[in-house]
Amino acid sequence: MKRKTVLVIGNFDILHPGHIRLLKFAKECGDYLIVAVNNDSNMLIKSRVSELHRLEMVQSLECVDEAFLTELCSNSLIANYQPYAVVKGKEFEEKENPEYKALKKYGGKLIFGSGEFESNSEQYITRTISHGHNFDYKKCQSYATRHQFDYQSINTVFSQFRENRVAVIGEIIVDEYIQGTAVGLSQEDPTIVMTPDRTDTFLGGAAITAGHIKGLGAKNVKLFSVLGKDDKADYVKNHINAYNIDTILFDDGSRPTPLKSRYRAGNKTLLRVNQVRQHKISKEIQTDLYMQLESSINNFDLLVFSDFNYGLLPQTLVDKVIALCKENDVHVVADSQTSSQVGDIARYKDMMLVTPTEKEVRVALNNIDDGLPVLAQKLCEKANPTYLVITLAGEGVFIHLPNQNGQWENDMLPAINSNAVDPAGAGDCFLAASSLALCSGATPWQAFYIASIAAACQVDTLGNQPLSFNTLQQRVLESFKL
């Protein structure tokens, strides 16, 4: 099928919301939006804004596929590109439009539109990653001093990231962000009414955990998971290659591919809708999954349980995988989420690291009374991890190092990012970075320092996207330069 190219021509002297809404409307009229920006010589009234800056502003818009400076008239541009349609503002509808003649030669269309006034135009500007703008490293330095490490020692750990071979097992989740404008309250009932403007889709769950580990430099990463037989499974299979990881994916027609849809207005989430089922995968799939893992276990240094408690990791399978890893000297770490679902982090025995939230610890122990140090030690006595980190959302992380003599050591790192754009996925990123650091020779104190900065980077952008090693290294270096 031939691509429907849409052409818009203009000066874009000052990029205002009207321009952005018009360009969004133009993109919706076809498949590929081209914007021709008149250069300085082609403007009747000279602009105070340089032609290069005007072009740069247009190129910053997500809805624009291609933009360039031009000195050609509209008819010459139409003859060159032969677009499916040219879009102009509504104010031109009653005026003479020379484009009609050029478009008529091959059956092109002239469309007038102003865009929806309710749209929040800001959201259509490409978001450049702003890692570090809201970071507060003040308490990081005292933490590093307490535990006697510096940037050079951290860099030594970084140099070993690329030596690790990692397996990740858990549920893949498709995360949708439906961004819109809150119009007001319904007249029939006290319900917020919103107009959706755009949908962004990301791979989450175990997929983003694997993506972080690979993005941070691991030698190779293999993801083991189960998908439904639906369009979201197709989306996963079509996009997972972008993470540069290997996959072993099984189909299960009895469950949908987990989908979480977040409805947002501005920078606030109004509602989250989960489309999931939580029954256990069949014994046949459990057996096939285990056999695939068993056949390649010697290729891994680390295995990560990324458990969202949607039935992919029943206890019998977890126990078999842990035993397999022990037999083959593979390090094992785990995260078992309890939010809208019910999980139990304590069922993961003898892990090198577990990273539950405070709520997940209290649920696992049925304990609402004890303070964090006692709570942490009781979980360690029940599950026997080598290291435990309790994540506290905007308050940071509580670190607990148990030992066999009933003594333990605690410390805490506050949240480094003071203004999170999107807190979703911080725990996944923390688990990925800390486990990779531990397998690269880091002390636990170094590993959790690295992971805290990694989590701060993750929450600085909307949606789950793999963190790059270069970004993490740069932020860690900054933390030592204060």
Side-chain angles (χ1 to χ4, degrees), residues 242-297:
Y243 287 2
N244 198 25
I245 62 177
D246 299 321
T247 57
I248 299 293
L249 303 175
F250 296 92
D251 295 327
D252 183 352
S254 72
R255 66 180 62 240
T257 302
L259 171 65
K260 294 184 179 180
S261 302
R262 295 170 175 84
Y263 291 82
R264 292 173 60 89
N267 61 351
K268 303 294 184 183
T269 298
L270 306 178
L271 174 70
R272 192 179 84 183
V273 179
N274 291 354
Q275 298 181 43
V276 299
R277 288 185 186 162
Q278 295 176 255
H279 64 273
K280 297 176 183 177
I281 58 174
S282 67
K283 290 185 178 180
E284 291 78 12
I285 295 178
Q286 290 182 49
T287 300
D288 292 344
L289 196 158
Y290 178 80
M291 290 178 64
Q292 284 283 353
L293 181 60
E294 184 182 38
S295 67
S296 57
I297 193 66

Side-chain angles (χ1 to χ4, degrees), residues 439-451:
C439 285
S440 300
T443 67
W445 309 114
Q446 291 172 322
F448 305 140
Y449 183 95
I450 292 169

Side-chain angles (χ1 to χ4, degrees), residues 131 417 419-426 454-462:
H131 290 318
N417 192 330
N419 188 23
V421 174
D422 179 13
C457 293
Q458 167 63 24
V459 302
D460 213 28
T461 55
L462 182 68

Side-chain angles (χ1 to χ4, degrees), residues 186-204:
S186 167
Q187 297 300 308
E188 291 79 18
D189 49 48
T191 303
I192 294 175
V193 178
M194 69 171 286
T195 302
D197 297 318
R198 58 178 280 173
T199 299
D200 294 315
T201 306
F202 305 92
L203 295 181

Side-chain angles (χ1 to χ4, degrees), residues 162-424:
R162 58 181 173 269
E163 302 300 322
N164 287 281
R165 305 164 301 166
V166 185
V168 178
I169 180 170
E171 291 93 347
I172 295 174
I173 297 171
V174 177
D175 288 318
E176 283 186 341
Y177 287 74
I178 298 95
Q179 190 74 38
T181 304
V183 179
L185 287 176
S186 167
Q187 297 300 308
E188 291 79 18
D189 49 48
T191 303
I192 294 175
V193 178
M194 69 171 286
T195 302
D197 297 318
R198 58 178 280 173
T199 299
D200 294 315
T201 306
F202 305 92
L203 295 181
I208 192 59
T209 300
H212 285 316
I213 293 172
K214 183 61 180 176
L216 292 175
K219 184 175 183 179
N220 52 60
V221 180
K222 180 173 280 191
L223 173 61
F224 297 79
S225 192
V226 177
L227 302 172
K229 294 182 178 179
D230 50 29
D231 59 342
K232 296 306 176 186
D234 295 336
Y235 178 87
V236 172
K237 293 172 183 177
N238 291 334
H239 290 81
I240 195 70
N241 288 338
Y243 287 2
N244 198 25
I245 62 177
D246 299 321
T247 57
I248 299 293
L249 303 175
F250 296 92
D251 295 327
D252 183 352
S254 72
R255 66 180 62 240
T257 302
L259 171 65
K260 294 184 179 180
S261 302
R262 295 170 175 84
Y263 291 82
R264 292 173 60 89
N267 61 351
K268 303 294 184 183
T269 298
L270 306 178
L271 174 70
R272 192 179 84 183
V273 179
N274 291 354
Q275 298 181 43
V276 299
R277 288 185 186 162
Q278 295 176 255
H279 64 273
K280 297 176 183 177
I281 58 174
S282 67
K283 290 185 178 180
E284 291 78 12
I285 295 178
Q286 290 182 49
T287 300
D288 292 344
L289 196 158
Y290 178 80
M291 290 178 64
Q292 284 283 353
L293 181 60
E294 184 182 38
S295 67
S296 57
I297 193 66
N298 291 324
N299 297 326
F300 304 122
D301 307 297
L302 168 68
L303 182 137
V304 179
F305 285 111
S306 183
D307 184 8
F308 288 79
N309 290 291
Y310 296 138
L312 191 147
L313 290 167
Q315 192 63 50
T316 51
L317 178 60
V318 168
D319 292 342
K320 287 178 65 177
V321 171
I322 292 173
L324 177 67
C325 290
K326 285 183 177 179
E327 291 170 9
N328 291 275
D329 296 321
V330 175
H331 297 295
V332 191
V333 302
D335 188 26
S336 178
Q337 296 209 11
T338 298
S339 54
S340 56
Q341 69 278 46
V342 177
D344 181 9
I345 189 61
R347 73 190 184 98
Y348 287 94
K349 310 290 186 183
D350 304 321
M351 300 290 98
M352 177 175 68
L353 170 67
V354 290
T355 59
T357 65
E358 180 179 355
K359 176 185 176 181
E360 288 160 358
V361 178
R362 294 192 184 279
V363 168
L365 298 176
N366 191 25
N367 184 326
I368 62 171
D369 299 314
D370 290 325
L372 286 175
V374 175
L375 198 69
Q377 184 59 21
K378 286 184 176 179
L379 180 62
C380 288
E381 291 168 359
K382 185 174 182 180
N384 195 38
T386 306
Y387 308 118
L388 166 65
V389 175
I390 300 177
T391 59
L392 304 170
E395 295 180 274
V397 296
F398 179 82
I399 302 163
H400 183 79
L401 274 59
N403 66 25
Q404 301 300 319
N405 300 318
Q407 301 294 316
W408 62 78
E409 191 173 0
N410 299 320
D411 205 338
M412 185 165 178
L413 267 169
I416 293 168
N417 192 330
S418 59
N419 188 23
V421 174
D422 179 13

